[in-house]
Amino acid sequence: MREDVEALDIRDVTANWVNAQVLERQIDERIKALADLSDTPLFFGRLDYLRAPGADRGEGAEGERFYIGRRHVHDADGDPMVIDWRAPVSQPFYRASKKDPMDVGLRRRFGYTGGELTAYEDEHLSDPAEAARTSRLLQQEIEKPRVGPMRDIVATIQPEQDEIVRSGLGGTVCVQGGPGTGKTAVGLHRVAYLLYAHRERLARTGTLVIGPNKSFLHYIEQVLPALGELTVRQATVDDLVAHVEVRGTDDAAAAVVKGDARMAQVLRRAVYSHVTMPTEPVVVVRGSRRWRVPAYELEDIVRELLDRDIRYGAAREALPQRIAHAVLVQMERAGEAPDDRVQDAVARNSAVKAAVKAVWPAVDPAKLVLRLLTDADFLAAHAEGILSADEQKTILWAKPVRGVKSAKWSPADAVLIDEAADLVERTHSLGHVVLDEAQDLSPMQYRAVGRRCTTGSATVLGDLAQGTTPWATRGWEEALAHLGKTDAVIEELTAGFRVPTDVIAYASRLLPHIAPGLTPVASIRENPGLFEVRPAEGTPDVVAACEESLRREGSIGLIAADARVPGLAAALTEAGIPFLAPGEETTAQTRLTLVPASLAKGLEYDHVVLDEPQAVVDGEPDERTGLRRLYVALTRAVSGLIVTHAAPLPPQLA
């Protein structure tokens, strides 16, 4: 199929060089999308229908057989050989059961090792004599060791996951899922499905995946390209609001106030405070005639624009046209017949421009936020009745700055600037946005993401128990309201596919202390996994645990409190054990990653060594946030977990 595309001759099929360039780019993208993945099979399943799909039950027509794979594959004559997993005819592969066979006589799963077919397993779904059973191949695929970045799960999608993946483009879905429930994979596969089902619409409006940090995005970045989807942009929230260079940080108290949704009201007041009611008439001179628009009429125009609640910048652009229209009305009363060109000329008149500048001046979002954070009187005037005096003091900068470029902006400041920028000019909206690890966003960050999908939909993914910021989400209804998606459907995934039974049971001891209302994850894995809690006398024992883990198959993660990472790095180097930083791709030679606890979220390793749980808790500003950080660290293991500690364990784990 790729060779057919490469052989296309477009020299005589384009009208001009522009069309040729566009077509050439589309062909290049198609060639990239058809790239071979040497260790990835083209198909992983087969469906034998009792009747041809769509045929009436009364007909005696024979059934049809379909091979199911990651991509649609056709032969030289264009006849399908493999059906895309997203096609409607593939759906029973994920949803059919003995109770509801969906007209499928046989479902076959194929087992692969390194891209080579090694096994197959049949289920005769419509045969009442055959008992339902757990698929061994499915279990093996779920428990397969992880080396390298995140991969697709198209061979192992479960019915409850498939329902979310195939939900329509029009609605927003919020997925609450504990560790190992596959919520990230479900979100990415939903994007792939939507691009398949609504390709033309999303090609126009765009799609975006938002992750918590660069390491996480690097970890997931190959999932969609492996499914042939190359057009999805990936970014962090900080990338979205990068109007200024971020060089500073806030303490927790200031960040919480700046991230509060009330700041949107403060900013709105501050932006529109620049509008002043006119006190002088506008006199427009054209030739020998003078046209006068009185102050009261100008005030009516300004009030009408304010009442319409349109963006500050859009109203400012409309104001000169409204003034010009008032002049044209006078011209028509005087017997003239002005047209649109005359109105445009009046709108550009120096007297009109001067009036607009005085009444509705331009606003620079960064300068506005800078003034709010450095001018106590200006902040007090617009935060009155919204922020308390103590809250205002908390966000005021201690030292004055010379200007926008010299200011040490924090990530929370950049979000405020983005809010102000949207008040001035509407933010471009996309067709679909996936927001992962959403529980860590502040209300203002939710608003920033919501602006990117006001006319589109969203997939929100997260786990309330893993919220590790002081402003972490308390509940999904509140978060979705800030996002502007109050009609979203909230789904909960509780079946764990990644974390072994013993490991998730141990980590779940923390749930009553960090998220009392959540249902604990129930691992469906048959392998209980390796799990051990070891007293340690120092870093040599931690290094020994890493060496022991490296004798097993797969990737290894050494997770530790951020403050302990440099010491552990030195100990690993001294022991001659090579290691990687989070986000770097593991290789056969280097399988150990040293992970600061603050960056562990969303990552997974076959075996994890967790150093000093109490130090992880103590590294956060409060105990609940620290216990949530520990919960994240405990649930990164796919096959085994060794907890090493010299200090006593947190009492919540007892």
Side-chain angles (χ1 to χ4, degrees), residues 106-392:
L106 179 140
R107 172 169 57 199
R108 174 170 289 181
R109 297 182 191 275
F110 295 98
Y112 287 88
T113 303
E116 194 169 311
L117 178 63
T118 53
Y120 69 87
E121 181 182 74
D122 288 349
E123 296 171 86
H124 297 87
L125 297 175
S126 299
D127 183 356
E130 184 178 286
R133 65 184 190 277
T134 303
S135 166
R136 298 288 300 170
L137 286 178
L138 187 62
Q139 282 288 339
Q140 290 170 11
E141 179 64 24
I142 288 171
E143 297 177 11
K144 186 182 290 185
R146 268 85 167 148
V147 175
M150 186 180 185
R151 55 190 177 164
D152 65 76
I153 60 162
V154 288
T156 63
I157 292 173
Q158 298 299 291
E160 65 271 24
Q161 296 175 324
D162 188 65
E163 199 170 324
I164 296 169
V165 166
R166 294 177 194 266
S167 54
L169 178 61
T172 290
V173 179
C174 174
V175 182
Q176 158 64 41
T181 54
K183 57 185 178 295
T184 297
V186 166
L188 294 173
H189 286 70
R190 187 178 181 218
V191 172
Y193 172 76
L194 292 175
L195 286 165
Y196 175 87
H198 307 277
R199 189 166 301 280
E200 287 188 12
R201 179 174 168 184
L202 289 176
R204 293 193 307 272
T205 56
T207 49
L208 172 68
V209 173
I210 302 172
N213 52 56
K214 297 290 187 186
S215 297
F216 179 83
L217 292 178
H218 183 70
Y219 177 61
I220 68 168
E221 68 183 355
Q222 292 306 316
V223 175
L224 290 168
L227 299 173
E229 303 300 346
L230 306 173
T231 60
V232 180
R233 183 184 160 211
Q234 297 183 357
T236 65
V237 174
D238 290 344
D239 293 333
L240 298 183
V241 300
H243 302 280
V244 291
E245 183 183 357
V246 173
R247 295 182 294 137
T249 55
D250 287 312
D251 59 35
V256 167
V257 177
K258 289 179 181 179
D260 194 296
R262 293 174 296 161
M263 287 301 299
Q265 196 176 344
V266 175
L267 287 164
R268 185 173 189 83
R269 282 186 183 179
V271 167
Y272 283 92
S273 70
H274 292 78
V275 178
T276 56
M277 289 303 162
T279 56
E280 300 290 333
V282 171
V283 179
V284 176
V285 179
R286 282 185 60 80
S288 61
R289 301 294 299 270
R290 294 162 64 87
W291 306 98
R292 184 176 181 274
V293 182
Y296 71 83
E297 190 172 343
L298 293 174
E299 184 175 335
D300 288 344
I301 293 171
V302 171
R303 291 194 185 281
E304 184 206 346
L305 287 171
L306 287 171
D307 291 342
R308 285 187 59 194
D309 198 29
I310 59 177
R311 293 296 192 279
Y312 184 93
R316 185 175 187 273
E317 290 178 6
L319 182 56
Q321 289 290 338
R322 296 296 177 87
I323 296 173
H325 178 72
V327 172
L328 259 65
V329 169
Q330 293 185 27
M331 289 180 175
E332 288 169 351
R333 285 174 184 162
E336 295 190 16
D339 56 18
D340 290 346
R341 289 175 297 175
V342 175
Q343 180 166 331
D344 290 340
V346 172
R348 295 193 300 269
N349 183 275
S350 58
V352 174
K353 285 183 177 180
V356 170
K357 186 176 180 180
V359 171
W360 209 296
V363 170
D364 181 294
K367 288 180 179 177
L368 176 86
V369 173
L370 184 64
R371 187 178 175 192
L372 275 173
L373 298 176
T374 56
D375 185 336
D377 293 337
F378 187 69
L379 176 61
H382 300 105
E384 185 180 358
I386 301 174
L387 301 180
S388 68
D390 287 342
E391 287 174 322
Q392 293 175 38

Side-chain angles (χ1 to χ4, degrees), residues 499-508 528-531 634-635 637 639-641:
V499 186
T501 305
D502 291 352
V503 174
I504 195 64
Y506 184 69
S508 293
L530 169 77
F531 173 63
L634 285 167
T635 53
S639 299
L641 171 66

Side-chain angles (χ1 to χ4, degrees), residues 526-539:
E526 294 180 354
N527 179 2
L530 169 77
F531 173 63
E532 193 176 342
V533 179
R534 295 181 183 174
E537 295 185 1
T539 52

Side-chain angles (χ1 to χ4, degrees), residues 39 47 67 76 101 127 194 209 251 261 312 326 331 345 359 406 438 470 481 521 537-538 544 565-566 577 586 644 653:
D39 60 345
L47 289 176
Y67 286 85
D127 183 356
L194 292 175
V209 173
D251 59 35
Y312 184 93
M331 289 180 175
V359 171
S406 61
V521 172
E537 295 185 1
V565 166
I577 301 175
T586 54
T644 62
L653 284 177

Side-chain angles (χ1 to χ4, degrees), residues 438 446 460 473 475-485:
Y446 275 115
V460 181
T473 300
W476 290 122
E477 290 82 0
E478 179 185 333
L480 291 165
H482 294 311
L483 194 69
K485 303 293 181 185

Side-chain angles (χ1 to χ4, degrees), residues 552-634:
R552 300 186 176 92
E553 188 180 8
S555 57
I556 316 297
L558 170 55
I559 304 178
D562 292 29
R564 290 181 56 82
V565 166
L568 290 169
L572 290 171
T573 302
E574 188 177 341
I577 301 175
F579 60 91
L580 304 165
E584 294 180 341
E585 194 167 326
T586 54
T587 64
Q589 294 74 34
T590 308
R591 294 184 290 123
L592 175 67
T593 304
L594 178 55
V595 188
S598 63
L599 295 180
K601 192 171 297 178
L603 305 179
E604 59 183 33
Y605 303 93
D606 285 292
H607 296 274
V608 167
V609 177
L610 175 59
D611 167 72
E612 291 296 352
Q614 188 60 53
V616 174
V617 177
D618 293 341
E620 299 299 326
D622 60 82
E623 185 181 62
R624 192 180 78 153
T625 304
L627 290 173
R628 286 182 167 187
R629 184 75 73 188
L630 178 59
Y631 181 73
V632 171
L634 285 167

